[in-house]
Amino acid sequence: MNAQNPNLHTADAYQDLVTAARFQSTRRVPIPDLTYPDGVRIAVNFTLDFDAMLLRRLLNEPWGQKAKGEFGGRIGIWRILDMFEANDVKVTLFTPGRIGELYPKALHRAVAAGHELADHMWEHDVPKDPAIEEAHLNRAVATLSQIAGKPITGTRSSHTPAQLRACGITYNSFTSANTTPFYELDEQGANPLLQLPFHYALDDAMFFSFGWLATPNAAQRILDVDEVFEIWWASFLQQYKKGGYLNFLLHPFVSGHAMRVDMLERLIQRMKTLPGVWFPTCGAVADHIFANHPFKPVQE
Ligand SMILES: [Zn+2]
């Protein structure tokens, strides 16, 4: 019997689990014959969650944590963009709209270098009140589209799919429910969005983020960069052999430190020694999939 939840193994609970699993499988529509452009064996999306100090503020973390976030906005982001540019890799910046007010120069520089801006909520939070949620989403999308000079089409958020579709968002990158791209319907079976899944094993914060002891942030993780290099290289090779997909989730305040930028550069350069590795933005992967594998409802 489970110590926290004594009802976990009852017949009712088991039936609930089966029902939920069946429901989720109707919402998540795989793309079994996924192909890439000619000559491409794997798509590797590097994504930057440009949170800076916003989530740290929201969680009311100590000043030292907020300063770490600020480092990401003022220094880390520039170093990472320099590295991606030097290696001719295009990335997607999932950006809270508020960052457009805090660090606009970094965003303009990313756009000028050909990177993609995508939504990551207004202040790293999805309000529960639908009217406030809509106001936040519209404000974030408008701010980022203005800086991008064109409408943005992606998000990394739990915003309501109907609201996302209403403001022109066509893809999300906010789940680990599969390893390759798939279509996801909302709970009513409507408003399909393309999902570009990430995995926590490819999230820098899982290896390099820490909080001070006795603070609400319990994370205590500072791994050797070479160890993370080996984990990420092994993840890449496994997907490369299958002709799969990878979505790395990086935070400028975490990965913007010099030794980590250097590790990422070594990783990219090693990936480039193999043929058929594509480093597009998430939007470019989405455009390719919409053109070649449009959404088809599942036949009952
Ligand atoms: Zn974030």
Side-chain angles (χ1 to χ4, degrees), residues 153-220:
T153 59
T155 188
R156 175 167 279 158
S157 72
S158 61
H159 272 300
T160 309
Q163 290 199 6
L164 289 167
R165 290 286 304 254
C167 62
I169 300 295
T170 57
Y171 80 84
N172 199 351
S173 179
F174 195 62
T175 183
S176 303
N178 203 336
T179 57
T180 50
F182 63 97
Y183 286 100
E184 187 171 67
L185 302 164
D186 66 14
E187 297 200 350
Q188 290 72 43
N191 294 299
L193 288 165
L194 179 68
Q195 274 284 3
L196 299 176
F198 69 93
H199 194 279
Y200 294 98
L202 303 175
D203 177 344
D204 60 358
M206 300 304 129
F207 302 101
F208 299 131
S209 192
F210 74 97
W212 276 265
L213 291 169
T215 67
N217 183 342
Q220 297 290 330

Side-chain angles (χ1 to χ4, degrees), residues 7-296:
N7 297 322
L8 201 61
H9 295 145
T10 64
D12 281 355
Y14 178 70
Q15 196 47 51
D16 285 353
L17 179 66
V18 170
T19 305
R22 288 195 180 137
F23 174 64
Q24 294 297 0
S25 69
T26 63
R27 288 181 59 209
R28 292 175 173 147
V29 184
I31 306 173
D33 55 346
L34 177 67
T35 55
Y36 289 126
D38 282 350
V40 172
R41 184 171 180 81
I42 185 170
V44 181
N45 280 148
F46 282 99
T47 70
L48 300 175
D49 282 16
F50 194 179
D51 300 342
M53 74 293 273
L54 294 177
L55 182 58
R56 319 266 68 89
R57 277 179 75 238
L58 211 68
L59 301 176
N60 202 22
E61 291 181 14
W63 64 268
Q65 291 287 69
K66 292 174 197 144
K68 276 167 49 182
E70 187 196 333
F71 163 85
R74 280 193 302 106
I75 298 159
I77 185 69
W78 294 90
R79 280 183 175 163
I80 292 182
L81 291 177
D82 280 348
M83 185 278 290
F84 281 126
E85 234 173 301
N87 290 278
D88 196 24
V89 170
K90 302 293 183 231
V91 305
T92 299
L93 289 83
F94 290 103
T95 307
R98 177 73 85 192
I99 296 289
E101 296 172 344
L102 295 169
Y103 302 109
K105 283 187 189 159
L107 295 181
H108 282 291
R109 186 255 161 99
V111 169
H115 301 302
E116 177 192 14
L117 300 188
D119 168 70
H120 193 40
M121 304 159 279
W122 173 251
E123 278 196 309
H124 213 284
D125 175 51
V126 175
K128 289 193 174 52
D129 180 315
I132 302 174
E133 180 193 349
E134 188 180 17
H136 274 223
L137 180 61
N138 287 340
R139 195 172 175 194
V141 167
T143 302
L144 297 173
S145 296
Q146 208 244 328
I147 295 171
K150 61 180 183 185
I152 63 155
T153 59
T155 188
R156 175 167 279 158
S157 72
S158 61
H159 272 300
T160 309
Q163 290 199 6
L164 289 167
R165 290 286 304 254
C167 62
I169 300 295
T170 57
Y171 80 84
N172 199 351
S173 179
F174 195 62
T175 183
S176 303
N178 203 336
T179 57
T180 50
F182 63 97
Y183 286 100
E184 187 171 67
L185 302 164
D186 66 14
E187 297 200 350
Q188 290 72 43
N191 294 299
L193 288 165
L194 179 68
Q195 274 284 3
L196 299 176
F198 69 93
H199 194 279
Y200 294 98
L202 303 175
D203 177 344
D204 60 358
M206 300 304 129
F207 302 101
F208 299 131
S209 192
F210 74 97
W212 276 265
L213 291 169
T215 67
N217 183 342
Q220 297 290 330
R221 312 156 177 141
I222 298 282
L223 256 74
D224 183 336
V225 286
D226 290 334
E227 211 172 325
V228 178
F229 177 96
E230 291 302 333
I231 294 168
W232 287 355
W233 173 249
S235 304
F236 166 79
L237 263 192
Q238 189 270 343
Q239 284 294 299
Y240 182 81
K241 284 179 194 152
K242 287 177 52 166
Y245 172 75
L246 280 187
N247 184 310
F248 285 91
L249 197 166
L250 309 170
H251 300 79
F253 81 91
V254 175
S255 279
H257 289 279
M259 62 183 173
R260 297 176 191 153
V261 176
D262 181 61
M263 182 273 282
L264 280 167
E265 183 165 39
R266 284 189 284 125
L267 184 69
I268 289 165
Q269 290 176 352
R270 190 158 174 197
M271 289 174 178
K272 284 187 165 187
T273 61
L274 295 173
V277 184
W278 186 29
F279 297 102
T281 61
C282 290
V285 173
D287 286 347
H288 169 79
I289 292 176
F290 293 140
N292 294 279
H293 306 277
F295 173 69
K296 290 191 200 89

